[in-house]
Structures are given as structure tokens and as C-alpha cells.
Amino acid sequence: MKISYNWLRQFLKVNRTPEETGELLTDLGLEVEGIHEFQSVKGSLRGIVVGEVLTCEQHPNADRLKITTVNLGNGEPVQIVCGAPNVAAGQKVPVATVGTTLYDEKGTPWEIKKSKIRGESSHGMICAEDELGLGQSHEGIMVMDPALEPGTPAASLFEIEDDHVFEIGLTPNRADAMSHWGVARDLKAGLIQQGEQQELITPSVSSFHVDSRSRKVPVKITKPELAPRYCGVTVTGVEISESPGWLQNRLKAIGITPKNNVVDVTNYVMHELGQPLHAFDADRISGNEIIVQTLPAGTKFTTLDEVERELHEEDLMICDAEKPLAIAGVFGGIGSGVTSGTTNLFIESAYFNPVTVRKTAKRHGLNTDASFRYERGIDPNITEYALKRAVLLIQELAGGSVSSDIDDYYPKKVEDFPVFLTFEKINSLVGQNLSKETIKSILASLEIRVNNVTETGMGLTIPSYRVDVKREADVIEEILRVYGYNNIEFGDKINASVANSTRFEDYKLQNLIAGQLVGQGFFETMANSLTSPAYLGLSELLKEEHAVKMLNPLSQDLSVLRQSLLFSGLEAVSYNLNRKRADLKFFEFGKTYHNFGNGREEQKHLSVFLSGNRKRETWTHAVQRSEFFYLKGVINSILERLGIRDLKTSPVKNDIFSEGISFSFNNAKLVEFGVIKKKILKNFDIGQEVLFADFNWDQVVETSKNQLNKFKEISKFQAVRRDFALLLDNSVQFEEIYDIAFKTEKVLLKDVNLFDVYEGANLPEGKKSYAVSFILLDEKKTLTDKQIDKIMNKLQQNLEKQLGAELR
């Protein structure tokens, strides 16, 4: 939000520099993010003075140049060579003296220097109005009032505005500060706290009066809950023209382009007082009445930007007897605004329901100065005052007469809000004892009325414009920001309590696994929980009826809460691939959201994504792709780090994985992982293989609590390894071999490992070869060859019998 320093000084007599004022505003909670200079005329006419042309003669070496002598009011006249066809002796003209900086049409500076033009010296420049930034004409030099004294600074003759503009990062709760008046109120409180007595200078509307009652426009409100207050008045006989310089400068300083005197006044009052206004051409109001209502869904309406929009049944509209005129609190219509031919006005000043305005603005993708204020909550009790202020300014600049009483619809007044403030609570939250007089002084400077004071606290009345101050804590925050956070003293000691927590706290396990994954080369991502409803159609696992939908979405692409971490992760993968980062290792801790029949449910998940190569290519490492078994190893390392072993493996068949498996513990599924199907990747323009793992993190944490880490001494007896090369059907899985082996020998068999797989030439059709190792160990004695052979023979028999295996 932009705030003009000069404009602020219309409300307060500030004797501080803009920088000092900005620091105070920041301390008050209105953070000044930057201060920049504004000049209504680039350079502010510095170095430009009135000169009197004493003589004007033809240049001896150029047909189109003249040699002039000019009195600059400071002694000896100077010689200036001029090429303007209209220069003549006796004229008073603007002269850029030597050393003056002028600016071209692109804003590029250039300096006036002593020079020779076709052999004749020139000590300055007689200027045209476009060269000074005072107009567009370049037909000749600018001829000034002959009564002016030579040497008079040109800046004193024109409405030149030098200003400083504050860029304020306004927080959404500070609706009261969305105007120069509101910022001045805060600044006044800060200055009083620092010992400067200040009075807020408010514009007077005492001269407002009704000239006649010849043009009344009745107002009908059909939705009073959406328009709690609505004021309107008619002004006839106005003349539309360009605004005066002072008004244009005020608007230009805060980034608003002037349009005409009436529209500029409505913008001026909105930024001055914080009350949006709208001026209608009264002659274009059919039926001579205003109806505030909603219209059927699908109604067409063209706004001022010439865009035809389709209305929602909840959009509040300003209508006449035949058609809609404006979207209430958001944007005007193209057929009812003020034009150069407008002579009669109906001016609206209203308080619309903030939620209604916000929803309407979001639905139509509009963000206007009016909606910015309405949707945060303006002061409903200045509606009539702001209207009178605007009418008086319009009469001053455009003429006209007030042709009706103010029609003020305000059936239920918004009252000021009572709060009881305890001294104990103040001292507890602030951490320092503030005197009662200091508290009362701050409250008074904030226009918070103290009704009564007791031993324990104060009864207060909060003004209606402070929509964010409703609780005792809110009042204390107001006191603290005016008192100054920097003025709170630090204590000599810090009190803290030590919380008792177990090593299985979610955040501890999360940090543990995150650290492990980062050590393995992964990057953590954080995605928005809001996502696009279009993703619901990419998998049968995502159900439309389970979607948690936003009532007031920021956009259609962020209108539902995600049911899976998969698609937000693929967005990150696609983003990186599009920027030539092909080797990706991501993980994310996040929540999914479901709307089940018995209520809404949040579930925490850990997602892991792999794509491209495992490591960056170097001369010491051959390129290795991130493939299924590498992902499986990462998953095993996560679960083993949490003490979870003895997992059951099951195949996963769904429309996400082209091949995948799941790990379960005691019938509780912990993780699913595999290779994502190409048809899903195609929706994200991903052309390379992506592997994905989805941990049910809540279940993983719960399972880890019941796992005990067991430690035992390393056996002093040596383990024995034996290998089988098995010829198997293609359908046989290693898990089957693993299970048969441990069922065959439960005591001495310690490990079974698949260390080679071969499929191809020299094997019968439909067959594959597995190389499997078996580790045998007796903790009490050395194994004999007889024992080993007996176990291996039994293993061979069971594998042949149950799987049809053959030894190669």
C-alpha cells in the first residue's frame, strides 16, 4: 500500500523527516518496506528561472537559429543561441541555466553546459514546455506572463509536487489503516507516546447542504444482510473536465492515473478516508431507481474493462429497474459510468458484507482498490461522512448542485465493542509493569474510550473501525505496539519448563529419517496441500466423494486438498526436469485429506521420489540408474533405522504402479512403492522413469514404538556359506525361496540372499536362473560337513518339490 508523506501532513503537523517517520510507522506495526521520491515534474524545475529576452538577432552562420541576450535577474545578461521560431525580444521565457539537469521523454538526464553553436557561444537554454515536463507542445518556446520578474524560480510559478511515498506492507488484520487518515491516526498515537502533542486534522463537511429535491433516486435493498448500510445522493449540473494539478499530483504519487474530476474525487476520498465510492451517470439509470440485489446464475454482465462476465447467484449487484449497473464493492459496469458527456450523478457510499465481496472478487478474478478494502472490513460509521466529503469536492471542482437528500439505509447500526481489560493480564503478557496513566494515555491516543477504572482493570469501548480488536489480548497488543516493543526491558533471568517426551515423538523420528535421507543424497520438498481437482481423474484411488473442497478457493487449480502426495511430487519432478536437472532424489513429509462418510480425516505420509542416475557422473564412478531395487534398499534402510524388521511383502496392483510391492507388519501396511505408469507421467510431460514410495507415516511411527533393539555378542564360531544356482519358472519370486528356506531350517539358517539373476540365452523358454546364497551358523559349536550337507540336501528337496527348481 502506498502512502504519501505530503498527504499525511494534511492530517498531522509532522516535523520529522520521511525516514524518521517511516521508522516510527514500522515500530507501530505498519512496516515501511521502502521510501521513494515522487516528483510531479521530473527534476522539479530546479535551475529553471524566468528570463527576459532583451535582444534577438539572426545567427550569422545558420538560417534557423537566433542569437539572444537574456536578463536572468542576477547581473550581466547572458547570450543564448535559440532555434525556436517564436522567440522575440521583450518576451519572458523559462531558461535552463548552466548546470541544470533536464530529462528527455524517456527520463534520461542530460546537463546544460556552456557551448558554442555554429561558432557563437551559448550560456543556457530557452525551453519549450515539453522540455520542462509541463506539457506536450514543441512548436516553440514557452512564453510566460510579461509581469513576471527576471530571475524568479520557475518552480514557484507552477504546482510542482515534491513528495516521498511510503511502501507499507499492510497485514490483513489492519483494515483501519487502509487510508491516509487511518495511517495518520496510528502516527498520531506514536508521536504522542514520544512526547509530541498532536491533533488529527479531519476534513470538514459542515458546508454540505441540499440545494433542491428535484432529482431523488430511490434505493431498494433486497439483501440487507449483504448490504448493511447504503447511502446515495444525486448531484446535477456537473461539468466533467480534467482535474486540477494538486489532485492529479496526489493520485499520481500513489500510482493512480487521473481520469477526470469526478472519478478522481471518488479515488481521492477512498485513499484519504478508506471509504470506496462509486459515481453513476444518473441519466443512464433506467426507471430512476437503484436496487441492490442478487441475480440468477448465468446472467451476463460487462464490466468497465470490457470483459463480459457470467454472474453467480450469490454475487451482489447494483441494478436499476432494467439491468445490472455494477458488481457491488468490486467493479463498475461499462454502461453506467461517468463519461465526458455526463452532467448528472448518483453517488454511492456503502458498507457491503466483507465475505460476500471477497467471494465475488475471487470468483471473477478481480482485485480492485475497492474490493481490497471492502473484503477486509471498512468502518460502517463513516459512510455518510465520506459521501458528504466527496460531494463537496465534486462541487468545488465540477460545479453542480445537490438535488436530493442523502438516502441512508442503515437499519441496524454497528455498535462499538466493549472489552474489559485487567492490569494483571497486561503485565503478564507484556512482561513489564506499565503505569495506569501510560495505559490510559495510549488508549486515548488510539481513540479507545475508557469507561471506568477499578482496582483490577478498565472497562473499554473499541471503535467500530477496529474490526481486529475484539479481545483483551488484542487490546494489549495495541498498547504494546504503541508503547514500543523496543522499550520492553530484558529480564535478568529466563524461566522455562522442560517437557517430558519419548524418543518416539513424531518430530524426532521425522528429523531422524530426514537426516538419513539427506545423507543419502535426497532433497526435502514442501508442497502445497491445496491442489487441482483435475488430478482426481488420474487414478481410481482418488475419489471425488472423498475430496475436501474449498468454499472460497484462491483459484481453480488450488480448490481441493490433496488425497495423495504423488501428484504434488510429480509437479516438482517435472519442474526440475524442465530446468535440465535430470537426476532427482526427493522426499516429503506431508498430510493427505479425505472426506469420509463418518467425517474428515488427515493422514501423515512420507513420499520418496527417484528418477535419473543415482549419482552425478564422474571419472571414478560408472553411471548407475536409479532402479527398483535401489529404491527398495532405501526403503529397507528407513524401516531398519526405526527398528522395523520381519516385514511381509505383497505385490501391488493398481493404476499408479506398472510394477510395485508393499511392506506390511502384523497386517498393517507400512509402505507401497514401485515404478509409476507412463500414462500418469505423460500428464506432467515427464519422459523418463520415475520411482515412487508412499509411507503411511502414522502407522510407521506407531509400529516403531513396539520394536525393541536387541544386542548380542558376535559368535566365536565361524559361519558357513553355501550357494545354489537354481533353474526356476519365470513366475517364481525370491520371497518364496526365502520362506521355504527358513521353514526348512529354523535354527542354523541365518540369512538367505539373491546375488544374481539371469534370463536369456541357453535357458529353456519360460525359465530363469537365480544364484542364491545361504548362511549357516551354530552359536554353540563348529558346524560339521555332515550337518551342512544334510541341511543343504533338505533345502534342495523342498525347493524341487514346492517350486519345481532344478540345480544347474
Side-chain angles (χ1 to χ4, degrees):
M1 183 181 72
K2 294 183 178 180
I3 293 294
S4 159
Y5 177 64
N6 288 350
W7 203 338
L8 275 182
R9 296 177 71 184
Q10 291 181 197
F11 294 99
L12 289 172
K13 295 178 180 178
V14 181
N15 297 317
R16 300 187 176 211
T17 65
E19 290 72 22
E20 292 170 337
T21 304
E23 288 179 11
L24 180 53
L25 288 173
T26 297
D27 289 343
L28 289 166
L30 301 177
E31 183 178 359
V32 175
E33 298 174 340
I35 304 174
H36 67 266
E37 289 188 41
F38 167 78
Q39 297 172 330
S40 59
V41 174
K42 192 74 172 176
S44 300
L45 299 184
R46 296 189 187 98
I48 312 297
V49 299
V50 175
E52 180 182 10
V53 181
L54 301 177
T55 65
C56 180
E57 300 177 357
Q58 184 65 44
H59 193 295
N61 302 318
D63 294 340
R64 296 186 179 182
L65 298 178
K66 305 284 180 63
I67 299 175
T68 66
T69 55
V70 182
N71 175 19
L72 299 180
N74 59 355
E76 288 293 321
V78 298
Q79 178 172 295
I80 299 177
V81 176
C82 180
N86 64 329
V87 65
Q91 293 174 334
K92 298 289 177 65
V93 294
V95 177
T97 57
V98 173
T100 298
T101 299
L102 297 179
Y103 298 84
D104 63 19
E105 58 186 11
K106 296 181 180 179
T108 304
W110 57 284
E111 186 180 341
I112 300 296
K113 299 179 180 178
K114 295 179 184 179
S115 61
K116 280 197 173 185
I117 302 176
R118 293 290 183 94
E120 298 292 334
S121 62
S122 183
H123 299 267
M125 174 179 168
I126 303 175
C127 301
E129 64 178 37
D130 67 328
E131 293 166 332
L132 298 176
L134 296 173
Q136 303 297 322
S137 174
H138 193 71
E139 295 178 358
I141 60 169
M142 184 178 182
V143 180
M144 306 177 76
D145 187 342
L148 293 174
E149 288 293 323
T152 303
S156 65
L157 305 175
F158 301 93
E159 293 181 349
I160 305 300
E161 182 88 5
D162 281 342
D163 199 357
H164 289 80
V165 179
F166 302 111
E167 288 280 356
I168 294 180
L170 193 67
T171 53
N173 64 307
R174 291 305 307 277
D176 62 295
M178 293 187 297
S179 66
H180 286 77
W181 190 25
V183 173
R185 275 192 305 237
D186 255 26
L187 186 57
K188 180 196 76 170
L191 291 171
I192 290 175
Q193 177 61 23
Q194 295 189 3
E196 297 183 30
Q197 291 305 311
Q198 290 281 351
E199 289 294 331
L200 198 62
I201 305 168
T202 55
S204 173
V205 296
S206 59
S207 60
F208 176 87
H209 66 279
V210 177
D211 298 301
S212 69
R213 294 175 175 81
S214 59
R215 191 68 186 268
K216 178 177 174 60
V217 177
V219 176
K220 180 182 178 182
I221 311 294
T222 65
K223 296 282 186 178
E225 70 279 9
L226 303 183
R229 188 174 191 185
Y230 191 96
C231 295
V233 70
T234 306
V235 180
T236 57
V238 300
E239 183 178 344
I240 306 300
S241 63
E242 189 177 86
S243 295
W246 69 265
L247 178 53
Q248 291 195 40
N249 290 338
R250 284 285 181 265
L251 296 178
K252 287 177 181 178
I254 59 173
I256 295 177
T257 303
K259 293 180 174 60
N260 59 57
N261 48 5
V262 170
V263 174
D264 291 350
V265 164
T266 61
N267 283 328
Y268 178 85
V269 173
M270 175 173 63
H271 288 275
E272 179 186 49
L273 303 177
Q275 171 65 56
L277 302 162
H278 192 76
F280 297 93
D281 187 328
D283 296 327
R284 301 167 84 177
I285 299 176
S286 301
N288 197 44
E289 68 172 337
I290 290 290
I291 305 170
V292 183
Q293 61 183 349
T294 55
L295 296 175
T299 302
K300 305 294 185 182
F301 178 65
T302 303
T303 44
L304 282 171
D305 55 0
E306 300 183 359
V307 174
E308 185 179 75
R309 304 178 187 275
E310 193 171 289
L311 300 179
H312 187 273
E313 67 268 17
E314 294 180 359
D315 292 340
L316 188 65
M317 302 297 295
I318 311 299
C319 307
D320 60 20
E322 298 177 358
K323 61 186 180 299
L325 304 176
I327 304 175
V330 181
F331 212 17
I334 198 168
S336 61
V338 175
T339 65
S340 58
T342 298
T343 57
N344 301 315
L345 303 171
F346 175 78
I347 307 171
E348 164 196 282
S349 178
Y351 172 72
F352 297 117
N353 183 288
V355 175
T356 297
V357 173
R358 183 168 62 251
K359 287 183 176 181
T360 297
K362 295 297 182 186
R363 271 194 292 266
H364 295 289
L366 294 170
N367 183 21
T368 62
D369 284 337
S371 68
F372 175 80
R373 287 159 175 79
Y374 276 126
E375 64 190 31
R376 284 161 175 78
I378 62 171
D379 182 5
N381 292 325
I382 67 162
T383 305
E384 184 181 16
Y385 169 71
L387 181 60
K388 289 180 178 180
R389 168 70 169 156
V391 169
L392 290 174
L393 284 172
I394 287 172
Q395 287 183 298
E396 177 186 336
L397 304 180
S401 57
V402 180
S403 303
S404 73
D405 291 312
I406 291 179
D407 194 342
D408 187 2
Y409 176 86
Y410 197 16
K412 187 177 180 181
K413 185 178 180 181
V414 176
E415 301 291 345
D416 295 342
F417 194 79
V419 170
F420 188 79
L421 178 66
T422 61
F423 298 123
E424 182 183 0
K425 190 71 170 177
I426 296 174
N427 298 332
S428 172
L429 288 182
V430 173
Q432 183 174 316
N433 291 334
L434 303 182
S435 70
K436 293 182 181 180
E437 291 307 313
T438 299
I439 294 170
K440 289 166 66 175
S441 172
I442 292 174
L443 292 174
S445 68
L446 290 169
E447 300 180 4
I448 296 176
R449 191 168 67 250
V450 179
N451 299 322
N452 56 75
V453 181
T454 68
E455 287 295 321
T456 58
M458 300 177 176
L460 309 175
T461 300
I462 312 299
S464 59
Y465 63 79
R466 289 310 306 268
V467 295
D468 61 321
V469 181
K470 298 294 183 185
R471 305 169 301 163
E472 185 180 22
D474 298 331
V475 178
I476 296 172
E477 181 184 356
E478 292 298 295
I479 294 171
L480 186 54
R481 70 180 182 85
V482 175
Y483 181 78
Y485 290 100
N486 295 333
N487 295 325
I488 300 299
E489 299 173 357
F490 287 96
D492 297 329
K493 61 180 181 178
I494 297 177
N495 297 324
S497 57
V498 178
N500 180 28
S501 63
T502 73
R503 62 190 180 91
F504 296 108
E505 291 288 341
D506 183 290
Y507 74 93
K508 290 184 178 180
L509 297 182
Q510 184 172 317
N511 288 339
L512 179 71
I513 297 306
Q516 177 172 310
L517 287 170
V518 169
Q520 293 174 333
F522 283 80
F523 288 90
E524 184 170 8
T525 65
M526 297 179 69
N528 199 332
S529 294
L530 292 169
T531 189
S532 171
Y535 293 153
L536 295 174
L538 298 184
S539 172
E540 295 177 356
L541 300 178
L542 307 184
K543 304 293 185 182
E544 173 78 24
E545 60 270 22
H546 293 163
V548 179
K549 300 178 181 178
M550 297 295 100
L551 296 176
N552 185 27
L554 294 171
S555 69
Q556 187 60 27
D557 288 338
L558 298 172
S559 59
V560 297
L561 287 168
R562 61 183 176 181
Q563 296 183 46
S564 170
L565 272 59
L566 170 62
F567 302 111
S568 54
L570 290 178
E571 288 176 350
V573 171
S574 176
Y575 182 90
N576 280 268
L577 290 177
N578 289 337
R579 284 152 184 81
K580 306 303 180 184
R581 295 179 60 90
D583 303 329
L584 305 174
K585 301 167 84 172
F586 293 154
F587 73 95
E588 179 189 5
F589 287 96
K591 289 186 176 181
T592 61
Y593 307 85
H594 298 81
N595 190 9
F596 295 124
N598 55 352
R600 293 173 182 158
E601 186 176 301
E602 295 182 14
Q603 299 172 356
K604 194 165 188 178
H605 288 253
L606 164 61
S607 63
V608 177
F609 290 86
L610 284 171
S611 189
N613 297 330
R614 298 187 195 181
K615 294 182 180 180
R616 187 166 57 92
E617 185 179 7
T618 68
W619 68 276
T620 58
H621 293 93
V623 173
Q624 284 185 291
R625 302 291 294 175
S626 294
E627 37 75 41
F628 182 86
F629 290 102
Y630 176 63
L631 175 61
K632 184 180 178 183
V634 171
I635 292 167
N636 277 322
S637 70
I638 291 173
L639 296 175
E640 287 179 6
R641 186 67 182 84
L642 297 174
I644 303 174
R645 300 175 180 84
D646 300 326
L647 299 166
K648 180 181 179 181
T649 304
S650 305
V652 173
K653 294 182 180 180
N654 56 37
D655 58 357
I656 290 177
F657 296 119
S658 58
E659 53 179 320
I661 59 176
S662 68
F663 287 161
S664 302
F665 185 88
N666 289 344
N667 297 322
K669 187 177 292 185
L670 301 182
V671 58
E672 290 184 347
F673 60 96
V675 180
I676 300 175
K677 286 188 174 181
K678 291 183 179 179
K679 71 173 185 178
I680 290 181
L681 299 180
K682 188 177 180 181
N683 289 279
F684 296 86
D685 295 325
I686 298 173
Q688 66 185 47
E689 185 178 79
V690 178
L691 298 109
F692 168 62
D694 182 16
F695 288 83
N696 183 339
W697 185 252
D698 293 327
Q699 187 60 52
V700 169
V701 171
E702 192 62 32
T703 302
S704 70
K705 294 178 182 179
N706 301 318
Q707 304 306 306
L708 295 176
N709 288 322
K710 297 179 180 180
F711 301 90
K712 62 181 180 180
E713 187 179 356
I714 297 176
S715 175
K716 57 186 176 181
F717 299 101
Q718 189 173 1
V720 176
R721 169 174 167 162
R722 292 290 187 268
D723 297 341
F724 277 167
L726 300 172
L727 186 65
L728 301 159
D729 291 337
N730 282 337
S731 60
V732 174
Q733 302 292 320
F734 170 69
E735 182 185 13
E736 297 175 74
I737 299 172
Y738 187 92
D739 290 342
I740 291 171
F742 277 100
K743 287 178 182 178
T744 302
E745 178 51 58
K746 299 178 180 179
V747 178
L748 301 180
L749 183 62
K750 302 303 180 183
D751 190 24
V752 180
N753 181 48
L754 176 64
F755 63 90
D756 187 47
V757 178
Y758 175 73
E759 295 176 302
N762 302 321
L763 290 182
E765 186 177 350
K767 296 288 186 177
K768 62 184 176 182
S769 176
Y770 274 5
V772 182
S773 66
F774 301 87
I775 305 297
L776 302 171
L777 174 66
D778 191 332
E779 304 282 353
K780 299 177 181 179
K781 61 183 179 180
T782 301
L783 286 171
T784 65
D785 289 339
K786 186 177 180 180
Q787 285 178 292
I788 296 169
D789 291 340
K790 182 180 178 182
I791 294 171
M792 297 308 296
N793 288 334
K794 193 173 182 181
L795 282 171
Q796 179 182 345
Q797 292 171 9
N798 286 341
L799 291 172
E800 290 174 347
K801 182 179 179 181
Q802 297 182 41
L803 300 178
E806 298 178 31
L807 285 182
R808 293 187 66 195

